[in-house]
Amino acid sequence: MSVETRPPSPPPAPSGRPGRPARRPRSSGGLFRAFWRWHFYASFVVVPVMLVLSVTGLIYLFRFQLEPVLNPALMQVEKPAGTDVAQPYAGQLRAVEEAHPGAEPVSLAEPRDAGRSTVVSVTMPDGEGRDVFVDPWTAEVLGDRDPDTTLSGYAIRLHADLMSGRPGDLVMELGTCWAIVMSLTGYYLFVRGRAARRRRARAGKRGARLRARHGVLGSVVGVGLLLMVVTGLPWTGVWGGTVQQLATTSGSSMWSLDHGAESAPLSTLDESLPHSHAEVPWGMGESEVPRSQAHEDGTVAVANVDTAIEVADGEGLRHPMTVALPTQEDGTFSVIGYAFDAPSDERTVHVDRFDGEVRSAYGYDDYPLLAQVVSQGIGVHEGRSLGGWTMALAAAFCLGVVALCVTGPLMWWRRRPSGPRLGAPRGRLPVRSSPVLAAGLVALAVFLPVFGVSLVVVLLLDRFVLRRVPALSDFFGTA
């Protein structure tokens, strides 16, 4: 990938026609090859990242269907005949504590339906997190498992940062940023190259049909790719952290500004659920958890997890709920109504453990406008807004991206050159003669800082290394 540093010299006049100026080659041809070159080299970063994101995203999308099938002894239960009342959650918690002495329960998730178990997340004495599964009809402990070692647990961690922390997060953000470049250049190639594709198809050229199908599929999937990339950027470390910092300085936030926790905050909602993959709404993760108000006369706590769920139900929260349990003497029951298919219904109610009163409540209507927009985007990204249509479209999109990631390298393989060369298209972006193109590159680099830094590195490498070493110049096909 290279950028033109000076205008090209005018071509000489064709022989035999003195005095008649030569026809300049159309700039679109050079731009086409330059965009093709960027599209080609962007694939080295984008294809592996998009493959991981699409496959893990597909697993996460169907986690509620896959996990019970993979773990039936833990997650599937049978409702006893003639029984319509489940055991109290307080009794189920006691059963977990008896089965795991010394373990500290940190959250309880209601069953998603009558055939599913209750999930209690605990912290073991050695600090390890476990999910304990309880039959809600008999309060029998069915077993436990590390949530990180389930199929969806692996998918979540790979999707986030390749299970490698900050370095993995940067790699995923880099691939995500270049995916935008790949989509934009792909659309240009699709539109400007349609005539050439038709000619190749009519001539029966090898690989013409695959190239045409790749273009048509990319023209459809590219819209979803851009949507998924943009809605996924808030999770990234650099872009998400930078935007959040800018939003905070202007009095807004991508997450939450919970002014409902009137007493001194105990922690944030995310911190209340260590080791857990509990469904915490994006906009509430950083919301404050208030403290319970102990009575001066030493009155003991009278509320329990069943009280908290009953109070939250009265406040209009949707089932199934997740309850972050108090782990300190002045902690509260934080009841989360996730509202899976409607981000606008997200709400959390904090219930005092001493008197069972609502200490504070916080929901979508209390979010800053930016957080509301991001929450709706997250709902689309996770395929859970607008009912089954969004889920079906998200699944089709993931499969489409996988297909593009396979057909793209396959096209190169079929036309790969012999010898030690990559066979990259030769072309240079005419930024000096195209102010609009130059402005677009600068805007994209500013909007996506990781892309901007990587772009500078690539251009410097191209100019000062690849072009000065003949073997490298030939291998990478510099123009």
Side-chain angles (χ1 to χ4, degrees), residues 381-402:
H381 187 95
E382 294 183 342
R384 56 185 179 83
S385 298
L386 308 178
W389 284 104
T390 312
M391 190 170 181
L393 287 174
F397 161 77
C398 289
L399 294 173
V401 171
V402 171

Side-chain angles (χ1 to χ4, degrees), residues 80-264:
T83 301
D84 292 322
V85 180
Q87 296 294 315
Y89 289 119
Q92 296 181 49
L93 275 177
R94 283 194 298 271
V96 170
E97 292 168 347
E98 292 172 1
H100 297 277
E104 181 178 50
V106 295
S107 71
L108 180 146
E110 288 188 297
R112 299 191 66 84
D113 55 55
R116 292 282 295 273
S117 53
T118 304
V119 184
V120 179
S121 296
V122 303
T123 300
M124 305 299 285
D126 60 0
E128 180 186 10
R130 307 288 292 183
D131 279 349
V132 183
F133 300 87
V134 185
D135 188 327
W137 305 105
T138 64
E140 175 190 358
V141 175
L142 304 174
D144 61 89
R145 185 165 183 180
D146 183 347
D148 284 343
T149 62
T150 62
L151 179 63
S152 58
Y154 282 120
I156 291 170
R157 294 190 293 145
L158 284 169
H159 197 90
D161 57 16
L162 298 175
M163 297 170 57
S164 58
R166 180 65 170 172
D169 177 74
L170 283 173
V171 170
M172 301 303 269
E173 184 168 356
L174 179 66
T176 298
C177 293
W178 279 95
I180 295 177
V181 176
M182 202 166 185
S183 295
L184 297 178
T185 56
Y187 275 114
Y188 183 88
L189 298 175
F190 177 73
V191 174
R192 296 309 299 261
R194 61 188 183 278
R197 288 194 302 274
R198 284 197 294 266
R199 286 196 301 269
R200 290 178 60 85
R202 285 196 297 266
K205 296 288 186 180
R206 185 174 181 227
R209 183 176 298 179
L210 179 62
R211 187 174 179 179
R213 289 175 177 173
H214 180 87
V216 171
L217 180 61
S219 69
V220 177
V221 175
V223 176
L225 181 61
L226 288 171
L227 178 63
M228 290 297 180
V229 165
V230 171
T231 55
L233 281 174
W235 274 299
T236 58
V238 176
W239 192 93
T242 302
V243 172
Q244 173 61 15
Q245 186 176 12
L246 293 173
T248 302
T249 58
S250 62
S252 185
S253 174
M254 284 202 303
W255 305 318
S256 53
L257 294 173
D258 186 359
H259 304 298
E262 298 175 359
S263 56

